[in-house]
Amino acid sequence: MKKKISIKKILSWLLGSKSLPFQYTHHFVLLVCAAVYTFSVCFNIALGVSDDFNIYLQMGLVPAIIWIWYQSRWKGNFHKMAIIFAYFLSLVSIPTNWLGNGGSSGPTYLMGMASLIYLSILLRDISLYRRLGQALIVLIPIPLVYIEYLYPELIFSYPDDTLRQIDLTVSFILIGFIVIIIMENYFKRFQLEREKAEYLTEQLRFLSEQDPLTSLYNRRGLDRYFEEKANSHALFSMVILDLDNFKHLNDQRGHSYGDEVLCSLSGVLKDRAIKDKGIAVRLGGEEFVLLLPLNAEDAVESTKKVVAAFSREKLAHGFVTFSAGVAQAEPEESQESLLKRADALLYKAKKSGRACILM
Ligand SMILES: Nc1nc2c(ncn2[C@@H]2O[C@H](COP(=O)(O)OP(=O)(O)OP(=O)(O)O)[C@@H](O)[C@H]2O)c(=O)[nH]1
């Protein structure tokens, strides 16, 4: 466990935070490049598959790459260093590798392809530099092939075919490994951003469907839920509830006490909706809706349970009643029609003395 933590610490010291995958990958590629150049120098000296000029140049490039890493990782110059490194790849690394490492028969094309992928991702939001860098990498083999054709003596040739095959194979494995890391991190970043967008969309929808005072669904939430229920052709009923003489209560006890009563009833409605696998909605003011996957009779029973639970709520100025209308949805019935029917029953309940449930 201790070892794991210390490796994590070393990686984060070298590469930065994983939550910044572009910086993280960039630092990783820089350090791997420095290591690959060091390895190349040893490999080329040992096997003699490169000329002295290329070997000295590669030796000199190691501290240059470390400097770029240092500036990017510790001096906050990520963007500037990304541009320098991308252009260093196309203008220095590819031509020198071409001259010193077998020309068109060496691994430079592989290097060019990896550089193209890396530059396209690294400079993704710096359009001008990206396009210019891409054009340079794509076009740079043209003069190099030309030089190779006109002055073949300038190109270091492999002493034999076996060494060429070894060099190409080792280069392919190293470059393939770097490309995998780049792509993996790119997709990780893409996935992180997609997850973030999905989360924010969900949050936004949640907030847009929520009543701020009671945290119940609002009319928008009811619309969505109704559509889902109607499309599933499942049986459901609508209960419209309205607190009785709420204006009077507000006038007598004050608006904030009125809010307390609204919140208290909302809590009871929410619990009931959860138990019955439906939803509780605040339509507006002191009017609420329960949409329950029940027939009308069961919805009435459920509403009676709301009356009982609400009567047990400890309200400072005593029990408050409500009236309700219950209507079961007909097949293919629209929301407006169902609301109208339930509302008519509520109106009737109010007219017949309040504090009752009609269906
Ligand atoms: N405290 C509080 N009051 C609200 C809110 N929204 C609406 N109201 C009040 O609710 C009252 C509704 O009054 P009415 O529509 O006349 O209904 P009522 O007095 O309940 O009468 P009946 O429905 O016939 O029993 C009004 O006084 C509104 O100001 C709110 O968010 N908080």
Side-chain angles (χ1 to χ4, degrees):
M1 188 65 184
K2 246 185 177 177
K3 204 174 176 188
K4 248 189 180 172
I5 289 169
S6 63
I7 289 173
K8 250 188 184 175
K9 269 188 183 165
I10 293 170
L11 280 179
S12 92
W13 187 85
L14 288 171
L15 310 177
S17 164
K18 264 193 171 174
S19 60
L20 298 169
F22 280 110
Q23 273 95 326
Y24 192 86
T25 317
H26 179 56
H27 298 144
F28 174 82
V29 171
L30 285 170
L31 293 177
V32 167
C33 267
V36 167
Y37 272 120
T38 311
F39 171 78
S40 265
V41 171
C42 304
F43 183 77
N44 290 339
I45 291 173
L47 296 185
V49 289
S50 185
D51 65 6
D52 288 348
F53 172 73
N54 196 35
I55 290 172
Y56 291 134
L57 189 89
Q58 285 182 338
M59 273 182 187
L61 291 179
V62 175
I65 296 173
I66 300 279
W67 179 81
I68 291 175
W69 165 80
Y70 173 74
Q71 286 294 323
S72 178
R73 172 69 185 96
W74 295 105
K75 295 286 170 185
N77 290 327
F78 168 70
H79 272 110
K80 215 190 272 172
M81 291 302 121
I83 295 168
I84 290 178
F85 184 64
Y87 282 82
F88 157 83
L89 282 175
S90 47
L91 295 173
V92 181
S93 206
I94 293 177
T96 53
N97 209 73
W98 186 283
L99 296 174
N101 215 185
S104 57
S105 2
T108 313
Y109 278 126
L110 289 175
M111 227 174 109
M113 194 51 76
S115 306
L116 193 60
I117 294 170
Y118 190 50
L119 176 141
S120 303
I121 292 173
L122 191 67
L123 304 183
R124 80 212 170 279
D125 51 4
I126 322 177
S127 169
L128 176 70
Y129 286 104
R130 186 179 71 247
R131 292 274 173 252
L132 196 65
Q134 285 168 331
L136 273 175
I137 293 180
V138 169
L139 298 176
I140 228 159
I142 298 172
L144 292 173
V145 166
Y146 207 61
I147 291 170
E148 189 174 331
Y149 178 68
L150 291 178
Y151 311 101
E153 69 281 1
L154 286 180
I155 310 290
F156 175 83
S157 316
Y158 289 97
D160 59 58
D161 248 9
T162 312
L163 286 178
R164 176 175 169 261
Q165 281 161 354
I166 293 173
D167 193 26
L168 281 181
T169 307
V170 172
S171 303
F172 177 74
I173 292 170
L174 281 175
I175 290 170
F177 173 66
I178 292 174
V179 169
I180 289 171
I181 298 280
I182 293 168
M183 296 315 287
E184 287 289 318
N185 274 280
Y186 179 65
F187 289 128
K188 199 167 170 186
R189 161 79 185 218
F190 185 68
Q191 199 181 338
L192 276 178
E193 280 183 356
R194 209 178 54 184
E195 279 168 10
K196 205 161 124 187
E198 278 171 3
Y199 171 76
L200 289 175
T201 310
E202 191 48 45
Q203 282 288 100
L204 210 63
R205 197 182 74 173
F206 177 72
L207 289 174
S208 74
E209 291 182 350
Q210 203 185 40
D211 173 60
L213 176 69
T214 61
S215 300
L216 294 186
Y217 281 107
N218 60 18
R219 184 64 186 255
R220 205 177 283 132
L222 172 67
D223 293 347
R224 184 173 61 83
Y225 192 83
F226 186 91
E227 209 180 303
E228 276 173 24
K229 278 278 154 209
N231 287 339
S232 72
H233 303 291
L235 170 143
F236 65 99
S237 296
M238 180 182 275
V239 184
I240 298 192
L241 312 93
D242 189 290
L243 284 163
D244 295 329
N245 301 313
F246 195 62
K247 185 177 176 336
H248 181 68
L249 183 133
N250 256 342
D251 293 344
Q252 260 204 329
R253 308 290 180 195
H255 203 267
S256 62
Y257 180 70
D259 282 357
E260 247 177 69
V261 175
L262 290 174
C263 291
S264 167
L265 176 61
S266 299
V268 173
L269 291 172
K270 200 174 195 170
D271 287 348
R272 193 68 247 152
I274 291 169
K275 280 180 187 145
D276 287 341
K277 300 189 172 55
I279 61 162
V281 180
R282 183 181 180 207
L283 267 193
E286 62 345 339
E287 202 171 33
F288 297 87
V289 160
L290 277 175
L291 210 58
L292 305 171
L294 304 172
N295 60 30
E297 289 78 17
D298 290 343
V300 169
E301 288 311 308
S302 195
T303 313
K304 284 180 185 166
K305 287 178 188 161
V306 172
V307 176
F310 190 43
S311 69
R312 288 194 295 273
E313 289 284 295
K314 290 184 173 49
L315 292 168
H317 300 287
F319 182 51
V320 182
T321 61
F322 63 79
S323 307
V326 181
Q328 184 176 329
E330 304 286 351
E332 310 292 329
E333 186 174 12
S334 71
Q335 186 180 330
E336 286 68 33
S337 158
L338 182 61
L339 259 170
K340 223 174 174 177
R341 288 200 294 121
D343 207 33
L345 289 161
L346 169 67
Y347 182 75
K348 230 170 147 182
K350 291 275 183 186
K351 286 283 154 208
S352 58
R354 297 185 175 88
C356 64
I357 306 162
L358 292 187
M359 66 171 231

